Amino acid sequence: MIYDFDKIVDRRNSGSYKWDGMKRLFGRDDLLPFWVADMDFATPKPVTDAFKQRLEHPVFGYKARGESYCRAILKWLAVRHGWVVKREWLTFCPPGVVQSIHMLVNLLSEPGDEIILQTPAYNPLINVVTGNNRKLLRNELKLTGNRYEIDFDDLTRKISGKTRLMILCSPHNPSGRVWKEDELGKLTDICIDNNIKIISDEIHADFVYKGHRHIPLGSLSDKARNNAITCLSAGKTFNISGLQQAVLVIPDEATRHLFEEARDVAQINLDNIFSEVATEAAYTHCGEWLDQLITYLQCNVEYLSDYLGKNLPEVNVIKPEGTYLVWLDMRELGKSSREINDLLVNRAGVALYEGKEFGEKREGFFRMNIACPRTLLSDGLKRISDALKNY
Ligand SMILES: Cc1ncc(COP(=O)(O)O)c(C=O)c1O
């Protein structure tokens, strides 16, 4: 079956944060949105069919976690990512990945402790560090040409006796890097040598482009597995983030129990009925849909890169190896982020995330979400290049 990702789904007035929630950040709500990370594609049919089937039963009381749901997750990890995970390593935190990391930070470190993040970073990951009174230890990624690399020297230099955790984003948002085996191995060695646990946020794991492979940190080696806490979700992959869920893989028993105890105290163990229904259906029936989607997204990346290369060559496109997010280096335009953002919003009529959403010192950088039908993308790119070229 061929899936039609060109089809426009009108999301305005559907209660969409991306389409109906722009006013707070952009001051107006009539923009073409390329900001927050959800997709403008319909969730695949097996998922909506599963919803319909569940709706046939008219009671929506508390949900017991289904073993078939767990089996679907384990199979997905084994088949798509080559990672054989034991059932008992799986644990759940329905509110989501960021909520899970927030809890882990509080459980595994003390106020004043240092937590490593590779910057630029997805802002909520910065917030769970600084907002919990932990010290952010920035391991700035090095931009070489149009590719980001890990600065291992900086990392080893900065680690101190107060460094407790690293929050790894793999694949990395916003740079789009898909970390290689040797990079993950080196990170693991450095962290284990310094008694630092790694929380690996792998929410973008399913979006990896040709020539690259996502390696779950916990699958790397025995020692990596025992030191890793992996956070996963089908939210991004199947465009069901509004249902809220997180699946964690915590092989180390003591850490898993610590997490589960805290989660149970907060009474956030029981799943949302529909997130479980959706995830099980998606992991069981939608692998082919995802393969075709990734091909479509890769074409969107190429389209963007060609378009800007021809029409706005001052913009350096950091081509993603994974994720549907493109990090754009606009510094050569010679304008401040504020000026560029003003042109994007008020001349082009588009909403992109400004670099400052990914930490300090991001002047001239913007992030564009390309998970939309190509006609929307090409409309957006034309607006962007016309607005930035002419002013
Ligand atoms: C790296 C990363 N982690 C977590 C999230 C959000 O996860 P959740 O909605 O499950 O908290 C996002 C969403 O964009 C993300 O990019």
Side-chain angles (χ1 to χ4, degrees):
M1 171 167 186
I2 307 288
Y3 297 97
D4 180 11
F5 297 106
D6 284 327
K7 184 166 184 241
I8 304 275
V9 180
D10 183 2
R11 298 184 69 194
R12 279 199 200 277
N13 304 314
S14 70
S16 151
Y17 184 55
K18 186 181 187 180
W19 286 81
D20 301 322
M22 285 181 275
K23 198 143 193 164
R24 187 185 55 85
L25 197 61
F26 299 97
R28 49 198 285 185
D29 54 14
D30 57 349
L31 309 174
L32 259 190
F34 301 98
W35 59 302
V36 66
D38 79 15
M39 306 193 285
D40 293 323
F41 306 115
T43 294
K45 189 163 178 302
V47 174
T48 48
D49 284 349
F51 288 150
K52 283 181 194 150
Q53 195 191 348
R54 180 59 186 82
L55 285 170
E56 293 296 313
H57 193 291
V59 180
F60 303 96
Y62 292 121
K63 176 87 186 73
R65 187 161 297 123
E67 274 314 301
S68 57
Y69 167 55
C70 298
R71 280 196 299 276
I73 296 167
L74 296 176
K75 191 165 173 202
W76 184 262
L77 295 176
V79 172
R80 300 248 7 150
H81 299 297
W83 189 19
V84 179
V85 168
K86 289 192 181 156
R87 168 66 186 88
E88 64 263 28
W89 299 346
L90 280 190
T91 191
F92 300 83
C93 187
V97 165
V98 173
Q99 167 73 30
S100 307
I101 298 174
H102 162 73
M103 285 177 57
L104 288 162
V105 161
N106 279 288
L107 289 168
L108 301 175
S109 67
E110 298 291 331
D113 284 347
E114 295 165 350
I115 300 183
I116 306 159
L117 251 182
Q118 294 170 322
T119 48
Y122 171 60
N123 209 18
L125 298 183
I126 298 177
N127 292 342
V128 294
V129 175
T130 55
N132 283 311
N133 299 318
R134 271 62 172 175
K135 194 169 162 228
L136 181 65
L137 207 154
R138 289 170 193 275
N139 180 216
E140 182 73 10
L141 295 169
K142 285 188 295 192
L143 182 58
T144 316
N146 62 356
R147 181 186 156 89
Y148 278 93
E149 309 273 356
I150 300 174
D151 189 341
F152 289 104
D153 292 338
D154 173 76
L155 180 63
T156 39
R157 221 178 316 115
K158 283 182 179 162
I159 286 173
S160 79
K162 297 277 283 171
T163 315
R164 292 281 166 272
L165 290 170
M166 169 165 197
I167 304 175
L168 177 72
C169 186
S170 173
H172 186 259
N173 169 12
S175 75
R177 272 303 315 278
V178 174
W179 306 119
K180 303 228 170 301
E181 191 170 347
D182 61 323
E183 292 173 307
L184 293 173
K186 216 164 160 184
L187 273 183
T188 295
D189 287 345
I190 293 171
C191 285
I192 290 179
D193 286 349
N194 290 282
N195 222 357
I196 296 166
K197 279 202 181 302
I198 305 181
I199 302 171
S200 189
D201 176 348
E202 302 189 8
I203 198 167
H204 295 282
D206 292 318
F207 297 102
V208 171
Y209 299 125
K210 242 195 203 117
H212 301 279
R213 187 165 80 86
H214 170 70
I215 302 172
L217 183 69
S219 72
L220 201 63
S221 62
D222 287 351
K223 62 179 188 176
R225 180 186 69 220
N226 291 325
N227 196 53
I229 299 165
T230 305
C231 302
L232 303 160
S233 163
K236 300 266 172 246
T237 312
F238 298 102
N239 218 17
I240 50 173
S241 294
L243 297 174
Q244 301 198 295
Q245 66 158 196
V247 177
L248 282 81
V249 181
I250 314 183
D252 178 61
E253 200 176 333
T255 309
R256 190 170 66 247
H257 286 168
L258 196 68
F259 178 78
E260 288 179 341
E261 260 174 43
R263 178 204 58 190
D264 293 351
V265 168
Q267 183 91 321
I268 45 176
N269 175 29
L270 299 184
D271 295 303
N272 173 309
I273 293 173
F274 288 97
S275 74
E276 188 174 317
V277 162
T279 300
E280 184 174 339
Y283 281 169
T284 309
H285 302 295
C286 302
E288 173 58 29
W289 178 89
L290 179 62
D291 290 340
Q292 291 185 31
L293 172 64
I294 290 170
T295 304
Y296 190 89
L297 293 173
Q298 181 139 35
C299 292
N300 272 3
V301 170
E302 293 306 325
Y303 183 90
L304 173 143
S305 174
D306 287 352
Y307 190 94
L308 292 181
K310 283 190 197 111
N311 295 285
L312 201 60
E314 297 87 347
V315 174
N316 183 20
V317 177
I318 316 292
K319 263 198 193 177
E321 299 168 348
T323 82
Y324 51 72
L325 309 164
V326 184
W327 190 234
L328 300 170
D329 176 356
M330 302 199 188
R331 288 175 299 178
E332 252 188 56
L333 289 171
K335 293 182 181 357
S336 69
S337 277
R338 252 186 75 193
E339 289 169 317
I340 297 172
N341 196 48
D342 182 52
L343 290 171
L344 292 174
V345 171
N346 296 313
R347 294 265 175 204
V350 298
L352 268 66
Y353 260 138
E354 247 188 277
K356 68 177 184 199
E357 297 295 327
F358 302 86
E360 295 167 358
K361 295 188 276 178
R362 301 293 152 212
E363 199 56 24
F365 286 89
F366 284 77
R367 193 194 77 177
M368 185 164 185
N369 171 353
I370 53 94
C372 60
R374 200 147 309 132
T375 47
L376 281 188
L377 179 66
S378 69
D379 183 3
L381 289 170
K382 182 167 185 331
R383 291 168 181 226
I384 291 169
S385 69
D386 288 351
L388 297 184
K389 241 183 346 209
N390 296 331
Y391 291 89

